[in-house]
């Protein structure tokens, strides 16, 4: 009997022990609740807590295969999970700590959410003076679980945790909380700004190290078009992001949260709304993001593009007249290869060093705060006037009115006409001066890249540009096969010399027109008087060379030259060029405020940045922009055409060019609502605009 009693007592003790173990094992969870296509449980990180402690609770979802729940921003459809806590006094629960989502495509929509096992963490804070023996936790969770159909559901969870002097970890759930931690994006304390102008969400984030960010998720709902393509790039130490705005976008706060995803990590950053930069109506985020669209090109490719642009410069109308004279001088020395090589090297040195000098001047002036760009010297009416005089005088020299140095080493006055290396060097200098109004294909991107880089890189790009421009003459001098195509010197060269005067006259006429657009018709008339003075001075100097005039003739010639130089100084102040009345309905003057207003209204806009001294710009307008077909395309798609005139210096236009990594004109940018800006080619065809508009209008 005693043995039976002892056995019974032992069994009772064993059962009580098992029950206590069972209770302690399940005290940290509510157990599973099953709903349609999903089961869920509420789990505590600790099975016993203590006053003053902060611990975590986990709502653990396991949906059926192919079913998913939603992130805090569910995307184009769906509903984020919401938690409603009922807690005793002295106990508070924090917000949901969301895991890293992934995009769930349900064409044509894209949602943000989770498939498979998902854990939503929340912090539970217990006051230090909490006196009760237990904490009763009540939670109501509402969620939406979807596949092709969506099922809303809710559940109530109850969990009681004992309060003791020591906190006891729920060891059996450590793996669950560890898994949840790994799914959280890492918080980063870095600076970032965002902007919502122009129909797109744009962001710039300080990111000093190279990164492999492949996607980003904006936590704010109805901010971005979730199905639209994201643009991600890095510009130096800035990470640049852009995505079109949501169709239903109505507003956003001053701060938003963003999740950045790479191949093996995820990061959480907070962005502040960017403020506009004074004077140009643009924000820091918008400027940096737009630059980032062309920031990933390798340096070697930029150098190759610069050399190609310099090579093509030789064929541009503003450069060809001067270079044709250089070719003539090389032909004159075709029998003296050593002299050819020396002249080619000096000419190349003049070209390359002039490009580098222009680059240094640009860098120094910009460091001093001046808003200038490529071709800036022709934004000065006085410089344009001097070039008119110079090209006209060179033409008179070729026509036989005067001889600047009695040989065929020509172009550019006493320095450029000197025999030997000096003449070749300064011929290269003059070629660069008259080349600056032109922007050849490939050249715009290279120059734009250069001015955004460090000084050594910028100088390297400009040197490559000069090397490309000098390359034809180097090939003629150093490769016998090229040199053999040159004809032998003879009487034909004197005839050709006189014929080549006319391209110089035409260049002078073009620059005279530019001067008139810059300074007005009255100043243009004074410059014509100056040209008469130059012609008279050249005639008198030519007579002196033939011993048909004495010292008085030379003195009068000098006075006429000084008078011609003084006339542009006496000219009226330059006036901004005015739009012709016939074009009034075709385009509007560009301004940063006008462009910003049109983009905020969701209207398509074409921006044309041009200058009267830019030959490429004028040809593009005549061939591709002012045609009946282009005007019809602009009207068909209701595109507002804005034209910015950079003929005279304009700081706002210079800033706009920098916005798209350009340092000169032409620049054509097409803004289509909901899409990033489209930069058109520098050389336009008659169909470029209409084809681009048709392509953009066909996109969803």
């Amino acid at each position: 009997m005693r043995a039976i009693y002892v056995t019974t007592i032992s069994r009772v003790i064993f059962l009580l022990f098992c029950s206590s173990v069972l209770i302690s094992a399940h005290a940290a969870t509510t157990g599973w609740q099953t709903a349609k296509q999903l089961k869920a449980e509420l789990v505590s990180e600790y099975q016993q807590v203590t006053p003053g402690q902060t611990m975590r609770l986990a709502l653990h979802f396991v949906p059926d295969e192919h079913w998913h729940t939603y992130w805090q921003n569910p995307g184009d459809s769906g509903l984020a999970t919401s938690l409603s806590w009922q807690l005793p006094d002295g106990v508070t629960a924090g917000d949901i700590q969301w895991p890293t989502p992934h995009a769930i495509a349900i064409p044509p929509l894209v949602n943000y959410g989770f498939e498979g096992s998902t854990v939503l963490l929340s912090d539970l804070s217990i006051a230090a003076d909490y006196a009760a023996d237990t904490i009763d936790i009540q939670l109501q969770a509402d969620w939406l679980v979807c596949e092709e159909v969506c099922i809303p559901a809710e559940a109530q969870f109850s969990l009681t945790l004992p309060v003791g002097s020591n906190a006891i970890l729920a060891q059996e759930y450590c793996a669950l909380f560890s898994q949840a931690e790994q799914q959280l994006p890492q918080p980063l304390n870095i600076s970032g700004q965002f902007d919502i102008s122009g129909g797109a969400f744009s962001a710039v984030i300080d990111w000093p190290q190279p990164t492999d960010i492949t996607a980003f998720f904006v936590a704010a709902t109805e901010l971005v078009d979730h199905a639209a393509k994201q643009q991600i790039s890095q510009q130096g130490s800035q990470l640049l992001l852009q995505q079109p705005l949501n169709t239903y976008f109505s507003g956003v706060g001053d701060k938003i949260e963003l999740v950045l995803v790479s191949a093996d990590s995820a990061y959480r950053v907070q962005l502040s709304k960017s403020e506009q930069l004074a004077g140009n109506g643009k924000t820091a985020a918008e400027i940096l993001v737009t630059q980032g669209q062309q920031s990933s090109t390798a340096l070697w490719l930029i150098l190759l593009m610069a050399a190609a642009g310099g090579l093509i410069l030789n064929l541009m109308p503003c450069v060809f007249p001067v270079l044709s004279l250089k070719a003539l001088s090389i032909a004159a020395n075709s029998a003296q290869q050593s002299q050819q090589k020396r002249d080619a090297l000096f000419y190349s040195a003049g070209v390359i060093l002039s490009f580098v000098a222009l680059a240094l001047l640009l860098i120094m002036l910009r460091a001093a705060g001046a808003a200038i760009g490529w071709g800036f010297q022709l934004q000065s009416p006085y410089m344009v006037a001097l070039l008119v005089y110079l090209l006209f005088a060179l033409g008179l020299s070729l026509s036989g009115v005067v001889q600047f140095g009695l040989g065929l080493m020509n172009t550019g006055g006493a320095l450029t006409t000197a025999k030997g290396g000096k003449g070749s060097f300064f011929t290269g200098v003059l070629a660069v001066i008259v080349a600056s109004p032109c922007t050849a294909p490939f050249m715009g991107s290279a120059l734009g890249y250069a001015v955004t880089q460090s000084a050594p890189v910028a100088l390297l790009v400009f040197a490559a540009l000069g090397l490309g421009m000098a390359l034809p003459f180097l090939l003629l001098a150093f490769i016998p096969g090229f040199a053999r195509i040159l004809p032998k010197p003879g009487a034909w060269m004197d005839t050709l010399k006189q014929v080549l005067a006319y391209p110089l006259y035409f260049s002078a006429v073009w620059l005279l027109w530019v001067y008139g657009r810059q300074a007005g018709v009255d100043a243009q008339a004074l410059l014509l008087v100056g040209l008469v003075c130059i012609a008279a001075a050249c005639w008198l100097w030519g007579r002196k060379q033939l011993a048909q005039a004495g010292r008085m003739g030379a003195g009068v010639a000098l006075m006429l030259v000084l008078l011609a130089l003084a006339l542009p100084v006496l000219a009226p102040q330059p006036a901004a060029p005015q739009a012709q009345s016939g074009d009034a309905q075709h385009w509007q003057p560009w301004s940063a405020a006008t462009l910003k207003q049109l983009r905020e209204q969701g209207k398509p806009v074409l921006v044309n940045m041009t200058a009267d001294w830019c030959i490429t710009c004028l040809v593009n307008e005549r061939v591709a922009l002012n045609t009946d077909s282009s005007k019809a395309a602009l009207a068909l798609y209701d595109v507002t055409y804005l034209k910015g005139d950079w003929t005279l210096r304009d700081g706002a236009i210079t800033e706009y060019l920098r916005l798209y990594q350009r340092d000169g004109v032409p620049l054509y940018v097409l803004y289509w609502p909901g899409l990033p800006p489209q930069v058109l080619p520098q050389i336009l065809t008659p169909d470029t605009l209409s084809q681009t508009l048709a392509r953009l209008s066909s996109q969803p």
Side-chain angles (χ1 to χ4, degrees), residues 396-407 494 497 538 541-542 545:
L396 292 176
S397 174
L398 294 181
S399 296
V401 175
V402 65
Q403 292 293 326
F404 291 134
L406 299 176
D494 188 62
K497 181 185 72 170
C538 288
W541 191 258
Q545 290 176 332

Side-chain angles (χ1 to χ4, degrees), residues 474-536:
L474 291 173
L475 294 177
L476 285 173
F478 285 89
I479 299 181
F482 285 97
R484 279 195 290 270
I485 67 176
L486 294 175
K488 294 181 180 180
W492 63 271
M493 297 188 68
D494 188 62
T495 302
L496 180 61
K497 181 185 72 170
Q498 296 181 36
V499 170
L500 288 175
Y502 292 95
L504 290 175
Y505 292 143
F506 281 121
S507 297
V509 169
W510 161 61
L511 287 172
L512 181 64
W513 174 78
V514 171
Y515 181 80
R517 294 278 289 175
Q518 289 177 323
V521 66
D522 292 339
Q524 190 179 45
L526 282 178
L527 193 64
L528 286 169
V529 173
L531 281 178
V532 174
C533 294
I534 292 294

